[in-house]
């Protein structure tokens, strides 16, 4: 679903295996600077997790952005759900209106002047990721009662740009996961994403195969009577998108398994967290 022109990160072990040398030319850190932004009008069908009471679809507008400036490589987006404020749909009244992903990473190669490339590894990063919901953050009310809140997560790790056969430059990362609501470190997340042109046309437009994988593991499972969680789970997106200089159209299939560590059909609430969803995208590029 996401335009992965900004490709993320690889595993901590990858960085450890990359012996530092001084072959890289870092005399002009700004020579490769660039930035981009686009707006995506989107519709999601059967997005998970959801309850049986929720209709399977919703519209939303996404502002997506990224770029490189010196040592910093940035990717992010802001989603605004249910633009017409419809009472139906799985983002209807009472549901969170916004979501933001913010993922700055910092080139260790550029900061140190070392060339950490080795084999398929092109560049190594200290990587961060922040997921923020648009609703209330959890806390304690005036009577001392705890209340739940929207997504408020951060991820911290190392990664690299890696050349993968056929896919080309692919971002991979390994994060430790910190829940800012619970003030607790809980498990890890492996992520990878790619952007592969697969068909070119005479007018300069092309079709890309693009997508990502986010997989959490090593977390503490919680046997909550309402919404139990698992120790692992994640999602993968596989999309075909047509791109021109100023526009894009796309379709993506997203596969889930206990996404966000929510146990599929578990507990009293019985949220569905394993299955498939469909995404349709129309993009205007700035």
């Amino acid at each position: 679903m996401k335009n992965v022109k900004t490709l993320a990160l690889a595993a901590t072990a990858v960085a450890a295996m990359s012996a530092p040398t001084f072959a890289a030319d870092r005399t002009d850190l700004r020579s490769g600077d660039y930035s981009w932004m686009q707006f995506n009008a989107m519709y999601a069908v059967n997005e998970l997790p959801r309850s049986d009471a929720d209709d399977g679809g919703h519209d939303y507008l996404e502002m997506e952005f990224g770029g490189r400036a010196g040592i910093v490589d940035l990717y992010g987006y802001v989603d605004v759900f249910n633009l017409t404020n419809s009472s139906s749909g799985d983002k209807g009244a009472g549901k969170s209106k916004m979501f933001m992903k913010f993922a700055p990473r910092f080139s260790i190669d550029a900061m140190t002047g070392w060339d950490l490339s080795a084999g398929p590894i092109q560049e190594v990063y200290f990587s961060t990721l922040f997921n923020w919901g648009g609703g209330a953050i959890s806390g304690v009310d005036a009577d001392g009662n705890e209340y739940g809140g929207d997504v408020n997560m951060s991820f911290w790790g190392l990664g690299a740009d890696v050349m993968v056969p056929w896919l080309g430059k692919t971002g991979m990362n390994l994060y430790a996961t910190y829940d800012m609501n619970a003030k607790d470190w809980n498990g890890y997340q492996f992520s990878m994403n790619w952007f592969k042109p697969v068909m070119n046309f005479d007018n300069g437009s092309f079709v890309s195969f693009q997508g990502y994988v986010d997989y959490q593991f090593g977390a503490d499972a919680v046997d909550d009577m309402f919404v139990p969680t698992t120790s692992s789970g994640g999602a993968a997106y596989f999309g075909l998108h047509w791109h021109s200089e100023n526009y894009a159209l796309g379709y993506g299939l997203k596969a889930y398994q206990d996404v966000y560590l929510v146990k599929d059909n578990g507990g009293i609430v019985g949220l569905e967290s394993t299955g498939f969803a469909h995404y349709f995208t129309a993009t205007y590029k700035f």
Side-chain angles (χ1 to χ4, degrees):
M1 176 172 61
K2 305 306 170 197
N3 182 338
V4 284
K5 290 179 181 176
T6 54
L7 297 167
L9 312 168
T12 306
V14 167
M17 291 187 295
S18 303
T21 68
F22 292 89
D25 181 7
R26 302 295 180 187
T27 55
D28 186 2
L29 291 179
R30 294 284 182 169
S31 62
D33 285 5
Y34 69 93
S35 62
W36 60 274
M37 181 176 67
Q38 62 188 39
F39 282 83
N40 308 315
M42 306 189 68
Y43 196 85
V45 180
N46 294 333
E47 187 173 56
L48 301 179
R50 65 187 181 93
S51 68
D52 291 337
D54 288 328
D55 182 71
H58 66 267
D59 65 280
Y60 60 108
L61 178 68
E62 179 173 86
M63 182 184 74
E64 192 175 17
F65 54 89
R68 178 73 182 248
I71 67 172
V72 182
D73 185 88
L74 176 65
Y75 173 76
Y77 62 85
V78 179
D79 290 340
V80 181
F81 305 118
N82 192 14
L83 302 176
T84 59
N85 203 32
S86 171
S87 58
S88 63
D90 57 353
K91 294 295 184 182
K95 301 298 176 62
S96 180
K97 188 71 174 181
M98 299 182 69
F99 176 80
M100 179 176 181
K101 181 184 288 287
F102 186 67
R105 59 178 183 166
F106 306 88
S107 171
I108 297 175
D109 297 51
M111 288 188 291
T112 63
W114 298 341
D115 179 7
L116 298 177
S117 61
I121 301 166
Q122 294 195 322
E123 191 168 1
V124 179
Y125 301 89
F126 169 66
S127 57
T128 62
L129 168 64
F130 301 88
N131 290 339
W132 295 307
I137 300 302
S138 64
V140 180
D141 63 20
D143 297 323
N145 300 312
E146 293 186 2
Y147 58 88
D150 213 335
V151 178
N152 193 22
M153 301 288 294
S154 64
F155 304 79
W156 306 80
L158 291 173
D161 291 333
V162 182
M163 293 303 296
V164 175
W166 190 76
L167 282 180
K169 184 186 286 187
T170 301
M172 301 181 185
N173 66 55
L174 182 64
Y175 301 110
T177 302
Y178 184 71
D179 186 334
M180 290 187 280
N181 284 339
K183 303 293 191 297
D184 182 42
W185 293 96
N186 187 23
Y188 306 90
Q189 177 169 304
F190 172 77
S191 299
M192 63 179 290
N193 52 37
W194 62 89
F195 185 94
K196 169 67 176 181
V198 294
M199 183 180 298
N200 296 289
F201 301 103
D202 291 341
N203 63 2
S205 66
F206 63 94
V207 174
S208 68
F209 171 58
Q210 58 193 72
Y212 62 87
V213 175
D214 290 327
Y215 186 74
Q216 292 179 263
F217 62 96
D220 295 327
V222 178
D223 189 22
D224 183 90
M225 65 181 297
F226 292 98
V227 183
T229 64
T230 65
S231 62
S232 62
Y237 176 86
F238 306 97
L240 288 175
H241 293 243
W242 169 81
H243 291 267
S244 68
E245 183 176 359
N246 297 116
Y247 305 96
L249 294 171
Y251 163 76
L253 176 69
K254 193 169 183 179
Y256 302 86
Q257 180 182 2
D258 295 329
V259 66
Y260 305 130
L261 304 181
V262 174
K263 186 175 182 179
D264 187 41
N265 292 313
I268 295 174
V269 176
L271 293 176
E272 183 180 355
S273 62
T274 297
F276 297 92
H278 307 273
Y279 292 83
F280 302 89
T281 308
T283 296
Y284 185 82
K285 306 177 183 181
F286 285 83

